[in-house]
Amino acid sequence: MTDLQASLIVIGGAIVVAVISYNKWQEYKAKKSVERAFSSSHDDVLMASGDAAIAVPVHAERLEPTLSGGDGSEESFAHAESAEPQDADAQHDAPVDMMPPAEERELPVDYLIDCTIPLALTTQLRGEKILPALQSLRHVGSKPVHFAGQHIDGGWEAITHGGIYKSLMAGVQLANRSNALNELEYSEFVMRLRQIADDFDADPDVPDMAEVMVTARSLHHFVTEYDAKLSVNVQSNGAPWSVTTLLAALERQGFDVRPEGRLVMPDGDGGVLFSLSTNVTLAEDTTSRLTLLLDVPVVAPERDGFGAMIACARSLSSRLDGTLVDDSNQPLSDASLNEIGGQIEIFYADMEAADIPAGSSRALRLFN
């Protein structure tokens, strides 16, 4: 080996060591920057309330608040069984297909978002006899199927063991985020329901398919129009952040890691306020961008999901030396946030007017 070759080997080795050392140093800096950002010396304002929270919404890539919930459009998908309830005495004597709306909203079967089919029983049945038969009909396609029973005292309730029922009501959901109930799903629902009815010697009052399809498509149109998700991003102003250290710090700040890998901020009542994404795969070591996402129609206005998400985004931006930007990487100004805040108020008011308030059980079923 000549002196030249030996020198080249030494130089090459020195370069490799320098590159490895540099990469390690960068990883160390990314980790330490996150650790410093979430050290105990910082106030915990990720979920601050009151004066510390900023109650304004964020940039919405899909938000187009031109929806009309107060022009009567809600009537276009109200099912035929949604007739006005009579007085208290009349409710007890109401026919099988007239479930009082005030009671229905707490029941598995919902007159507004389900195609309801009453089943008149020839004899009273106990819940323990009914329930096993219903287990075979829980879904048709992607649409859930629910049942309610009319108790012997005239009131409607979820069917339970020990209950005695004089009539039943079946309901298949008319639409969800994916699509509207279609002819094949409805036909399957009716066919399987008739089999259950035969076991109970019941007589189902099946609505016309064409009318059901029109109602289903109208409801799905509503779901499509109000399917809004708002996002805000925190973009690093300098070096990227260590993902491993960042995830551990976010968990300490209240985020939950779901089985599918999503980070979510719980609302304290079993639901989700908003989610967070690192925008990288599990194989990546660092990230330069965090995205917070709010599913608007499934979070009730009183939970202030917008304000909570913005407060969290601002806190992350401050701690991590980042900037709040929209999906086009443009900085989010207070003026634009305030403008969208007004639009969101209209959005929620329209949903309320359509009798499908954001965050309600109806909204949770439809936007699923």
Side-chain angles (χ1 to χ4, degrees):
M1 179 183 298
T2 65
D3 291 342
L4 176 61
Q5 290 174 325
S7 299
L8 291 175
I9 291 174
V10 171
I11 293 172
I15 293 174
V16 171
V17 171
V19 170
I20 294 175
S21 299
Y22 177 78
N23 289 338
K24 290 295 184 181
W25 172 243
Q26 290 297 318
E27 292 176 7
Y28 175 78
K29 285 176 60 180
K31 179 178 179 180
K32 296 304 290 185
S33 66
V34 174
E35 288 177 345
R36 285 194 300 270
F38 291 94
S39 65
S40 58
S41 61
H42 289 269
D43 294 331
D44 184 12
V45 296
L46 286 187
M47 289 302 295
S49 58
D51 295 336
I54 303 173
V56 290
V58 298
H59 174 73
E61 182 183 49
R62 298 171 57 186
L63 176 63
E64 295 181 359
T66 59
L67 315 176
S68 177
D71 60 356
S73 61
E74 65 271 17
E75 295 180 2
S76 64
F77 54 79
H79 200 257
E81 286 79 4
S82 62
E84 291 295 327
Q86 304 301 316
D87 56 44
D89 293 334
Q91 288 183 18
H92 289 289
D93 298 326
V96 170
D97 61 341
M98 302 293 284
M99 297 168 58
E103 295 181 26
E104 268 189 49
R105 294 178 186 177
E106 304 301 325
L107 294 176
V109 178
D110 189 316
Y111 78 99
L112 188 63
I113 66 174
D114 291 328
C115 168
T116 57
I117 298 182
L119 290 85
L121 300 175
T122 55
T123 59
Q124 297 176 355
L125 294 176
R126 299 186 67 86
E128 48 266 36
K129 181 177 180 180
I130 299 172
L131 287 171
L134 303 185
Q135 296 302 316
S136 63
L137 182 53
R138 289 303 183 189
H139 289 84
V140 287
S142 62
K143 312 304 184 299
V145 176
H146 300 283
F147 292 89
Q150 189 176 29
H151 203 266
I152 54 176
D153 64 4
W156 289 89
E157 64 181 19
I159 300 170
T160 60
H161 286 276
I164 302 177
Y165 305 98
K166 61 181 183 180
S167 58
L168 305 177
M169 183 73 72
V172 59
Q173 192 164 311
L174 288 164
N176 55 26
R177 265 180 165 151
S178 300
N179 49 40
L181 182 74
N182 59 45
E183 289 84 353
L184 289 177
E185 291 172 331
Y186 183 65
S187 297
E188 180 186 353
F189 171 61
V190 171
M191 179 187 67
R192 294 168 63 183
L193 185 63
R194 288 189 186 279
Q195 294 173 349
I196 293 175
D198 290 342
D199 294 338
F200 298 146
D201 193 22
D203 183 22
D205 184 9
V206 179
D208 179 71
M209 178 185 288
E211 295 179 0
V212 173
M213 294 300 102
V214 170
T215 306
R217 286 191 287 269
S218 178
L219 182 58
H220 184 250
H221 177 73
F222 173 91
V223 173
T224 302
E225 290 295 317
Y226 283 80
D227 189 7
K229 295 182 179 181
L230 310 182
S231 64
V232 61
N233 306 283
V234 180
Q235 181 69 41
S236 174
N237 292 331
W241 308 303
S242 167
V243 172
T244 302
T245 308
L246 184 63
L247 292 179
L250 290 171
E251 285 190 70
R252 291 195 298 271
Q253 297 299 321
F255 281 92
D256 285 345
V257 180
R258 293 300 167 91
E260 68 274 18
R262 286 194 312 146
L263 280 165
V264 301
M265 179 60 73
D267 62 7
D269 196 28
V272 172
L273 275 179
F274 54 88
S275 61
L276 183 146
S277 171
T278 60
N279 295 302
V280 294
T281 65
L282 295 176
E284 300 293 332
D285 294 326
T286 61
T287 183
S288 297
R289 188 182 184 93
L290 302 177
T291 298
L292 291 82
L293 185 69
L294 177 68
D295 197 347
V296 182
V298 302
V299 179
E302 56 268 24
R303 294 202 177 275
D304 192 23
F306 309 108
M309 184 171 70
I310 271 293
C312 180
R314 289 190 183 279
S315 176
L316 289 171
S317 177
S318 175
R319 293 183 178 210
L320 297 171
D321 185 25
T323 300
L324 266 64
V325 298
D326 62 20
D327 291 341
S328 299
N329 218 35
Q330 298 301 310
L332 286 169
S333 66
D334 290 342
S336 63
L337 294 175
N338 289 332
E339 180 181 355
I340 296 176
Q343 295 175 344
I344 295 303
E345 291 181 3
I346 297 173
F347 182 94
Y348 276 141
D350 287 345
M351 290 196 69
E352 182 76 30
D355 209 10
I356 306 178
S360 65
S361 57
R362 280 178 177 167
L364 292 175
R365 284 183 57 188
L366 287 174
F367 296 93
N368 184 22

